């Protein structure tokens, strides 16, 4: 046995450690340790599933983040896809392609962050895979969740006249990344939005329970791109008001000095806020304690395409298109 | 747009192509293209889920295989985990971390093989993810399947006195790999076992339907290692007869010249045969047309550990321990 191997837990020992940490759930007949995990779904529920890859130097840089936060984020961005349908996460699966430079304590740190975020969502880590990677650190995440039959909020339900809402604030994560790319330390608020986004599970489930939303997704590629998916799937157009975009105090401060930062709120990516449409145009003024604030930013129209209108009535043209991790602003 | 980008389909165009190829299933409420796919499970069924990573130069070498066969194998080895519980695969998810050297036609070739194997199993490709990889080609596969409630064949059900059975033949894949590692072309039979293993889905489902097996798994790490999982989970021991191991004609020919090749049948890995225990000691002699031949190789005993007995009654000691892709024989 080489020293390298000595420094590494056997796969089975690691699985045992994970099993102890991972917790359990009433839906779970059999968890980690067999060929498959076995689950039961309540008969009135549908199954939601989503999967994602996260690759070092494509989706994250290890010098910018603790492995604990990386584990949290890997879980969170996938949980956000369950939130985006209005579902409840049940089970998470984590595959780790581990470079030789990642020792056991680092793997455990990564897993601890992943499990923390998983439990926070009321879900359980029930399976996965670890193997060596001759290249970068690679993570694959799968999440299964449940939702009452027929209630999932899809992208194709937006109707002409619907209001468009977004949760939380936009652009913070992208602004945090902009600072990191420039070699500057972002403020704690912005850094947290970039490193440890919060999936908006409660809001998604509340919207399903109230039956208020007609279409929904999470903003991962940027508002313009993701709203574009709703418009295309629903065969409608939209108008949004630039000055209505919800911005954090930290973002607004920097925007005051550089109006071009609006592009980050429009197309920055990794917001992980919920973007949804609803017939009710005064939803945010209801006497309801929302799990996270929501803001009406525009409306769905029959005319195809997306128009971004400024306070003076003129159109705003975003110079940033799509979202590419680390492509800079 | 760079030439590199020109040669690559946009992500959305690729998703559209996959959607056309992937087919559909009655269990599927919503397939590719939203935040999650949505499925319904019959109320008398449990959900089986398994996930795996396959990384270039760890699990496969591109110079040895066509991308079509690689796609097939990526699906097959994961479908084998569903077979190992006796389940029916429903939905597959494929994540591709693609190096810049992999052009669109190659990605489609990989996907075509994956989809072929998926459809062969009566399942549907319903989701996934593609992104760039700055290192090796990386695949992540998740499979969901169903099984009648309470019927999944686990590792922990073997009882003292049970017979031990294995399907098909052992060692072929490892012998094929041995030739590849030595720079030799393996025979077509051995190469096929290594490149395009067949998940034993029908046999697994037949065993569940007949209620005959007490414990089961698929032989992916080698007979000794995988039988060890059953023994440990079931808190029993076992005795197997070396000369009873089912071997292909190609394997037997080479074994005649080199008896040490038994180690490949015992610990070679990647057989993807089903290993199961059953109270019935004459199962293979039943007047039944098995989906794949089965062979009784030994029995479960109370005494812990695994004993491999030769025809002359002496113990055989395997000099190969565990299974490491490409570590050689």
């Amino acid at each position: 046995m080489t020293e390298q191997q000595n420094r590494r837990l056997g796969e089975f020992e690691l699985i045992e450690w994970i099993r102890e940490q991972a917790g359990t759930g009433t839906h779970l007949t059999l968890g980690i340790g067999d060929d498959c995990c076995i689950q039961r779904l309540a008969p009135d529920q549908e199954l939601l599933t989503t999967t994602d890859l996260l690759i070092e130097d494509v989706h994250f840089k290890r010098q910018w983040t603790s492995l604990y936060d990386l584990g949290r984020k890997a879980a969170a961005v996938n949980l956000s896809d369950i939130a985006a349908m209005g579902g409840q996460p049940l089970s998470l699966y984590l595959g780790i392609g581990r470079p030789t430079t990642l020792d056991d304590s680092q793997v455990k740190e990564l897993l601890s962050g992943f499990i923390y975020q998983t439990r926070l969502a009321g879900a359980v880590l029930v399976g996965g895979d670890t193997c060596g990677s001759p290249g970068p650190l690679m993570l694959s995440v799968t999440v299964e969740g449940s939702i009452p039959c027929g209630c999932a909020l899809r992208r194709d339900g937006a109707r002409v006249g619907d209001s468009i809402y977004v949760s939380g604030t936009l652009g913070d994560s992208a602004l945090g990344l902009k600072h990191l790319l420039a070699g500057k330390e972002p403020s704690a608020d912005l850094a947290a939005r970039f490193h440890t986004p919060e999936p908006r599970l409660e809001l998604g489930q509340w919207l399903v329970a109230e039956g208020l939303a007609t279409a929904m997704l999470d903003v991962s590629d940027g508002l313009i791109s993701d709203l574009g998916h709703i418009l295309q799937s629903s065969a409608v157009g939209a108008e949004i008001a630039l000055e209505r975009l919800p911005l954090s105090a930290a973002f607004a401060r920097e925007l005051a000095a550089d109006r071009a930062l609006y592009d980050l709120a429009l197309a920055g990516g990794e917001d992980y806020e919920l973007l949804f449409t609803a017939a009710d145009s005064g939803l945010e003024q209801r006497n309801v304690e929302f799990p996270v604030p929501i803001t009406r930013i525009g409306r769905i129209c029959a005319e195809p395409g997306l128009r971004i209108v400024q306070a003076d009535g003129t159109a705003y043209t975003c110079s940033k298109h799509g979202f590419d991790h680390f492509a800079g602003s």
Side-chain angles (χ1 to χ4, degrees), chain A:
Chain A
M1 188 177 269
T2 64
E3 186 158 346
Q4 180 62 40
Q5 287 170 314
N6 261 329
R7 277 191 286 116
R8 292 180 155 221
L9 290 171
E11 192 186 348
F12 301 118
E13 197 180 331
L14 186 61
I15 291 171
E16 207 39 61
W17 181 86
I18 296 170
R19 207 192 321 229
E20 282 164 20
Q21 308 293 316
T24 189
T26 53
H27 66 290
L28 204 60
T29 307
L30 183 66
I32 292 169
D34 213 303
D35 296 295
C36 301
C37 76
I38 311 176
Q39 300 172 74
R40 290 198 189 191
L41 211 61
D44 60 341
Q45 301 281 308
E46 283 178 310
L47 175 68
L48 303 174
T49 311
T50 180
T51 185
D52 249 332
L53 289 178
L54 290 93
I55 299 185
E56 184 175 357
D57 293 332
V58 178
H59 301 96
F60 61 89
K61 288 188 188 286
R62 267 156 74 191
Q63 69 266 34
W64 286 348
T65 180
S66 70
L67 284 158
Y68 186 88
D69 281 351
L70 176 61
R72 283 192 61 173
K73 185 168 181 175
V77 304
N78 280 276
L79 289 164
S80 182
D81 280 322
I82 301 288
M85 315 287 288
Q88 167 59 43
L90 296 173
S91 300
L92 281 83
Y93 306 81
L94 175 62
I96 307 176
R98 91 189 246 189
T100 50
T101 52
L102 207 70
D103 69 24
D104 285 336
S105 66
Q106 290 175 302
V107 170
K108 285 187 175 179
E109 191 192 336
L110 175 76
L111 277 159
S112 297
F114 190 88
I115 292 169
Y116 171 82
Q117 193 75 42
T118 297
R119 296 187 122 182
L120 206 61
V124 189
L125 172 62
V126 297
D129 189 21
T130 61
C131 63
S133 163
L137 172 59
M138 301 174 173
L139 305 175
S140 80
V141 181
T142 300
V143 186
E144 291 168 330
S146 65
I147 190 155
C149 286
C151 291
L153 289 168
R154 300 155 57 147
R155 300 175 172 193
D156 58 3
R159 294 166 303 197
V160 173
D162 281 355
S163 292
I164 303 169
Y165 292 93
V166 69
S167 67
T169 58
L170 296 173
D172 297 319
S173 174
L175 185 55
L177 172 59
K178 183 182 159 79
H179 289 315
L180 286 168
L181 286 168
K184 289 188 287 188
E185 189 70 33
S187 70
D189 287 2
L190 297 178
R193 290 300 304 273
F194 178 69
H195 290 309
T196 52
E198 286 296 335
R200 303 306 191 188
L201 291 160
E202 279 182 68
L203 176 61
Q205 290 166 23
W206 182 83
L207 288 164
V208 162
E210 299 287 319
L212 288 171
T214 51
M216 185 157 75
L217 46 60
D218 66 324
V219 184
S220 55
D221 292 341
L223 178 68
I224 290 177
S225 172
D226 287 314
L227 180 52
H229 296 321
I230 288 182
L231 302 186
Q232 192 180 12
S233 301
S234 304
V236 291
E239 193 174 287
I240 60 175
L242 184 69
E243 283 85 356
R244 283 205 189 196
L245 296 183
L247 305 174
S248 70
F251 192 97
R253 258 195 310 278
E254 299 203 33
L255 181 74
D258 178 7
R259 194 174 151 84
L261 290 183
Y262 262 129
D263 288 4
L264 295 186
L266 287 164
E270 296 218 277
D271 295 301
Y272 301 109
E273 295 295 350
L274 295 184
L275 176 69
F276 63 95
T277 55
D280 187 332
S281 65
L283 199 55
E284 79 278 26
Q285 292 150 10
R286 279 202 190 189
N287 193 12
V288 165
E289 202 169 316
F290 290 97
V292 54
I294 62 169
T295 306
R296 182 172 179 271
I297 60 169
R299 65 188 177 84
I300 298 292
C301 349
E303 190 191 337
L306 172 62
R307 288 159 297 285
I308 305 163
V309 183
Q310 303 182 86
D312 65 6
T314 60
Y316 180 87
T317 305
C318 180
S319 61
K320 185 169 158 63
H321 290 289
F323 168 62
D324 187 4
H325 288 82
F326 309 148
S329 59

